[in-house]
DNA sequence: GATGAAAACACACCGTA
DNA sequence: TACGGTGTGTTTTCATC
């Protein structure tokens, strides 16, 4: 487990919010010179505290207005079945996230589609035909708020 | 809705995977000069196709080894109740995502904790006491795969 | 698409605790 | 040994042509 001091936490929180901020701006904000801030960020990256930097796309503006969460129960839960299921799910382009979970459902999928008609197509032709898929529960996303989390 | 050509889609997909790539590397990959690639990315940002750039933290390495998804049903669902609930949820640092959804549950929360004992504390002292919260379902995250989505 | 100024990065080196 | 500051070469960004 990685130990962080106060400044590391502030840097990570700031960058988790907006990764476009540069080392000199962050340094000014937290009382460091540009190289000092840069070295800390570099050290956090090398130490594995940072998984990566990603662009967040505006899927709605890009024509994908519908996001649905699917809870999926597997009918058969053997080892092979899990792998078959995961491999088949990974081949569906509309699936953004595959979460293997413990609880009432076995998997949770985040699926995007152009509209509800498009989602129905994905559901009928892609999801319902997945190997081993049993019961499916759907929740349509109305709105979403992302928060910094306990580190921010 | 924003219209994209083939190259725009490739640029967005590449950056959604890894936003550290610079304009000249992307240009080389997709047959553009560095300024041409840079201008396209700039245009996509200004046009609103891009929501932002974020650092993805390695929450496990940082001491938060447990992620739980909570489905929450509200007991009372008046307009006031929704707002009260959302405001109260936003004050819990362990909550990373608040999703207002349509279906069997009203909200879906992504919660991180140091371990299961820590999660129990959050559940008992924070979640169960939320105003209007009724039934709660929990799913512990085992593993997660993020995929580029239909644009990638 | 090419060019060049401005900005940011990335490293070496030194000082301090 | 660990961390921060200063100075500086290099790379990237970004505007103009």
């Amino acid at each position: 487990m990685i130990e962080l001091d106060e400044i590391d936490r502030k840097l990570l929180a700031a960058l988790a919010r907006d990764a476009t901020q540069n080392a000199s701006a962050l340094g000014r904000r937290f009382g460091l010179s540009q190289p000092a801030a840069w070295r800390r960020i570099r050290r956090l990256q090398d130490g594995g505290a940072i998984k990566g930097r990603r662009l967040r796309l505006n899927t709605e503006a890009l024509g994908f207005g519908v996001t649905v969460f699917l809870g999926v129960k597997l009918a058969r839960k053997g080892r092979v079945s899990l792998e078959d299921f995961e491999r088949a799910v990974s081949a569906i382009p509309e699936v953004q996230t595959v979460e293997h979970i413990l609880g009432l459902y076995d998997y949770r999928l985040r699926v995007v589609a152009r509209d509800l008609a498009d989602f129905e197509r994905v559901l009928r032709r892609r999801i319902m035909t997945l190997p081993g898929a049993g019961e499916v529960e759907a929740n349509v996303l109305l709105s979403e708020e992302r928060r910094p989390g306990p580190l921010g």
Side-chain angles (χ1 to χ4, degrees), chain A:
Chain A
M1 179 179 144
I2 300 164
E3 295 291 340
L4 307 176
D5 66 10
E6 194 55 31
I7 296 175
D8 283 339
R9 262 190 294 274
K10 284 181 184 170
L11 287 170
L12 286 178
L15 286 168
R17 263 181 240 266
D18 175 14
T20 62
Q21 298 171 97
N22 61 43
S24 67
L26 289 167
R28 251 195 315 282
R29 235 173 100 188
F30 301 127
L32 292 174
S33 67
Q34 173 266 318
W38 182 85
R39 276 193 297 254
R40 274 176 179 268
I41 296 163
R42 172 64 174 271
R43 188 168 52 75
L44 290 165
Q45 290 209 350
D46 295 347
I50 295 171
K51 270 188 190 166
R53 287 159 197 261
R54 289 203 167 190
L55 218 62
R56 284 165 43 70
L57 301 181
N58 190 348
T59 47
E60 286 139 53
L62 295 170
F64 291 84
V66 173
T67 300
V68 181
F69 296 103
L70 294 177
V72 179
K73 271 186 220 184
L74 293 192
R76 309 178 301 277
K77 299 186 191 177
R79 188 185 188 311
V80 179
S81 170
L82 289 184
E83 282 169 7
D84 285 352
F85 180 84
E86 289 180 8
R87 189 168 24 249
V89 161
S90 291
I92 307 175
E94 287 85 359
V95 172
Q96 282 189 324
T97 314
V98 184
E99 285 150 355
H100 187 197
I101 56 177
L102 207 56
L104 197 54
Y105 292 92
D106 296 306
Y107 285 94
R108 203 164 259 285
L109 311 179
R110 184 187 177 113
V111 177
V112 295
R114 301 198 162 274
D115 49 40
L116 281 178
D118 186 37
F119 174 71
E120 194 193 3
R121 177 187 60 78
V122 175
L123 186 65
R124 292 171 83 128
R125 302 175 67 136
R126 300 291 217 152
I127 307 291
M128 305 300 266
T129 61
L130 283 171
E135 194 180 323
V136 174
E137 184 214 342
N139 293 104
V140 178
L141 179 66
L142 295 175
S143 68
E144 180 175 41
E145 192 205 350
R146 297 204 184 203
R147 313 205 337 100
L151 297 152

